[in-house]
Amino acid sequence: MYKRKIEEVLRLWKMKEGHKPLIIKGCRQCGKTSSVVSFAEQNYEHVVYMDFHEHKEYKAFFAGALDVDTLTLNMSVGIKGAQFVPGKTCIIFDEIQDCPNARSSLKFFKLDGRYDVICTGSLLGVNGYKTKEEKEEEQNASIPVGFEEIVNMYPMDFEEWLWANDIQPQHFEYLRNCFEAEEPVNEAIHQRLRQLLLRYVVVGGMPEAVATFFKTNNMNDVFQVQHGIIETYKSDMLKYALQEDKARIRECFDSIPKQLAKDNKKFQYAVIRKGARSSEYRGSLQWIEDAGIIQRCYNTSITELPLSGNAIADTFKVYMTDIGLLVSMLDEGTAWDIMQGNLLGYKGAIFENLIADILGKMGRKLYYFQKEGGLELDFLIRYKGECTPLECKARTGNAKSLQTVLKHPEHYHVYHALKVGDYNVGRDDALLTIPFYLAFMLTSSHRGQDTL
């Protein structure tokens, strides 16, 4: 296993006195189960594991009374080797969305306090197909508001990718010093990190894809894994979505590369299908977002804080949560083109999605600014207490919209800006340029991030 940031989240949760049952929420195959099981095995004498997706029969444990004594009795009978020792047993509910009554039971586990409970959920909040029995179970179940803690988990981010590539703490300290002092990174280190960045773009952060890359060093093997994950997502769309939504969800998902290929990357329903309307596809797009597969980037009415308060709800771009999965959806040979820098017009879309990947996996909500007349800023972030434009350039080049905004602070109220691209650290008056591989450090300077 590779080091993941969720490990520290779990450690701090366990140390917190009176902690609530914890739910780790994220898209399928982002590493939730392996991280939780590894943590439990290292920190508890006894681990009781239940996967409600693979073992539907476990749902029967929660069909009656939900008091802890009854539940632990049911589990000890139905699960071979299950042991319940107060303070020494961790109970894992995997894919808890498949058993609503198990989620209801979290209230009773919190009030009882004898056992720690960690849950994972891949499709929490997704509105989808349910059998008559499942509808009745969901109607009778209740969400234990105030008795659970929910944490989002994402595929491996770029910093975790650097950990996996044996970038050491002293290297991170050096990079942070360069970033904060606004000084260029040593050329040898700069070239090494450029190489690792391009590999991250094509491999992405899905743990199985990462493990396959390190095991075989063969991108064809990585593509097979990525395509398998995409097919799993499509299978979920067919299995869990409402019958009337299945085709529309697939159409929305398949349109994402075409949406990003446009000069104007605003999501347009007509790109999905000629004549398509938002009323037909709005719920389908929401389903994909709720599953953690995509993230929206909202246009704002003005370049001011708070970004959430100025967001325009029906004007947005859509990015894949994981950059490697986006690349796997493109034409064969795209990964090679990325490594060689031969992407022509589409490189902007890929590297914009890279920045969306990096910012999104920090837990940031995404925003941009565009107005009639052509002025567009790729991203807006809260940085050092200001609304700060962040422009993305796959290669060195002018950012005309950014220059316009910086020249007119009396109108746009923007005083500093960031540009990320394929170059080293440098400053030109109010504009700080940084290489793509340092974008993950922007998290260190924001506080009280905006949410929508």
Side-chain angles (χ1 to χ4, degrees):
M1 282 187 61
Y2 301 103
K3 180 182 177 184
R4 301 297 304 274
K5 293 179 179 178
I6 197 68
E7 296 168 14
E8 180 66 5
V9 173
L10 289 164
R11 187 186 69 82
L12 293 175
W13 166 80
K14 188 177 188 302
M15 290 176 57
K16 191 188 306 179
E17 186 176 353
H19 52 254
K20 304 172 183 178
L22 180 67
I23 297 179
I24 308 294
K25 178 184 176 183
C27 64
R28 286 208 191 277
Q29 302 190 45
C30 70
K32 301 182 299 297
T33 300
S34 57
S35 295
V36 168
V37 170
S38 175
F39 173 81
E41 290 177 343
Q42 293 176 31
N43 289 275
Y44 297 87
E45 291 186 19
H46 307 287
V47 178
V48 179
Y49 173 81
M50 281 170 282
D51 183 343
F52 295 114
H53 180 68
E54 292 293 330
H55 295 276
K56 305 295 185 185
E57 66 272 17
Y58 289 161
K59 296 170 65 174
F61 301 160
F62 303 84
L66 295 181
D67 63 278
V68 173
D69 286 335
T70 298
L71 292 177
T72 54
L73 176 62
N74 292 343
M75 287 185 271
S76 64
V77 172
I79 301 176
K80 185 178 179 180
Q83 296 188 50
F84 297 90
V85 180
K88 298 182 178 181
T89 294
C90 180
I91 304 169
I92 299 174
F93 294 153
D94 205 0
E95 303 292 3
I96 194 171
Q97 75 280 347
D98 285 354
C99 184
N101 284 335
R103 189 171 181 186
S104 296
S105 76
L106 299 183
K107 173 181 178 179
F108 300 95
F109 278 105
K110 171 63 180 78
L111 294 174
D112 182 90
R114 284 178 287 171
Y115 312 108
D116 284 353
V117 182
I118 307 176
C119 316
T120 74
S122 297
L123 298 171
L124 283 170
V126 165
N127 179 29
Y129 170 79
K130 296 177 181 65
T131 65
K132 179 181 178 181
E133 292 75 15
E134 288 172 333
K135 288 180 181 178
E136 291 177 352
E137 180 184 358
E138 189 173 68
Q139 289 171 356
N140 294 328
S142 61
I143 296 176
V145 178
F147 295 94
E148 62 181 14
E149 180 179 348
I150 300 178
V151 173
N152 289 317
M153 183 175 177
Y154 305 93
M156 182 180 286
D157 66 23
F158 183 63
E159 186 174 10
E160 292 170 319
W161 167 258
L162 293 180
W163 294 345
N165 279 276
D166 203 31
I167 301 301
Q168 298 296 309
Q170 63 268 27
H171 302 140
F172 283 99
E173 182 178 0
Y174 168 74
L175 291 172
R176 188 165 299 283
N177 288 338
C178 291
F179 175 74
E180 293 179 351
E182 301 179 359
E183 296 176 350
V185 175
N186 172 274
E187 185 62 21
I189 298 175
H190 175 66
Q191 293 301 330
R192 170 62 173 155
L193 289 171
R194 286 182 69 245
Q195 179 188 56
L196 291 178
L197 186 282
L198 292 175
R199 290 181 178 178
Y200 177 75
V201 171
V202 297
V203 175
M206 303 305 286
E208 186 181 359
V210 173
T212 299
F213 175 78
F214 284 117
K215 181 179 180 181
T216 70
N217 201 34
N218 186 322
M219 281 307 303
N220 288 326
D221 295 336
V222 174
F223 293 150
Q224 289 184 11
V225 170
Q226 291 170 328
H227 293 158
I229 293 170
I230 294 293
E231 289 305 312
T232 297
Y233 289 167
K234 291 180 178 180
S235 295
D236 282 346
M237 295 169 196
L238 293 175
K239 182 176 180 181
Y240 291 99
L242 296 171
Q243 184 63 41
E244 59 269 25
D245 291 338
K246 293 177 190 278
R248 288 196 286 263
I249 291 173
R250 282 288 300 271
E251 287 178 311
C252 277
F253 180 70
D254 290 338
S255 79
I256 293 172
K258 291 183 289 184
Q259 301 281 355
L260 291 174
K262 301 185 283 83
D263 289 337
N264 177 6
K265 296 179 179 60
K266 171 189 170 184
F267 189 88
Q268 296 174 336
Y269 292 97
V271 172
I272 302 173
R273 178 178 55 79
K274 186 177 180 180
R277 301 187 301 272
S278 62
S279 58
E280 297 177 285
Y281 286 90
R282 188 183 299 114
S284 301
L285 189 66
Q286 187 65 54
W287 195 100
I288 304 171
E289 184 178 28
D290 288 343
I293 300 170
I294 62 169
Q295 50 192 341
R296 301 192 205 203
C297 180
Y298 288 91
N299 192 12
T300 61
S301 56
I302 54 177
T303 51
E304 295 178 9
L305 299 177
L307 296 172
S308 58
N310 297 317
I312 305 171
D314 60 355
T315 308
F316 53 87
K317 298 184 282 190
V318 167
Y319 296 105
M320 290 289 289
T321 300
D322 185 73
I323 182 64
L325 293 185
L326 171 67
V327 172
S328 76
M329 296 171 67
L330 304 178
D331 294 341
E332 185 176 349
T334 301
W336 172 255
D337 290 337
I338 291 172
M339 301 300 290
Q340 300 302 309
N342 300 326
L343 283 170
L344 300 179
Y346 204 85
K347 64 180 181 292
I350 290 175
F351 285 92
E352 271 190 42
N353 204 128
L354 168 65
I355 296 304
D357 172 302
I358 291 173
L359 295 176
K361 289 174 180 176
M362 292 176 186
R364 282 188 183 270
K365 299 296 182 182
L366 305 181
Y367 304 94
Y368 73 106
F369 178 72
Q370 183 179 35
K371 71 173 188 176
E372 293 182 7
L375 191 148
E376 180 176 1
L377 304 173
D378 293 335
F379 298 97
L380 294 177
I381 64 172
R382 177 190 287 269
Y383 184 70
K384 294 186 176 180
E386 297 181 7
C387 175
T388 305
L390 191 160
E391 282 290 276
C392 172
K393 292 292 180 183
R395 293 288 184 185
T396 56
N398 294 324
K400 294 181 181 179
S401 293
L402 195 59
Q403 294 298 332
T404 298
V405 169
L406 287 174
K407 286 179 181 178
H408 297 282
E410 75 286 352
H411 180 71
Y412 294 103
H413 305 118
V414 168
Y415 306 97
H416 301 90
L418 299 157
K419 186 167 70 169
V420 293
D422 187 22
Y423 30 68
N424 214 317
V425 182
R427 176 173 284 282
D428 180 10
D429 196 17
L431 179 62
L432 174 64
T433 62
I434 61 173
F436 282 119
Y437 61 75
L438 286 186
F440 76 95
M441 289 194 172
L442 293 172
T443 188
S444 66
S445 300
H446 81 277
R447 293 292 184 270
Q449 65 189 38
D450 283 77
T451 57
L452 184 70

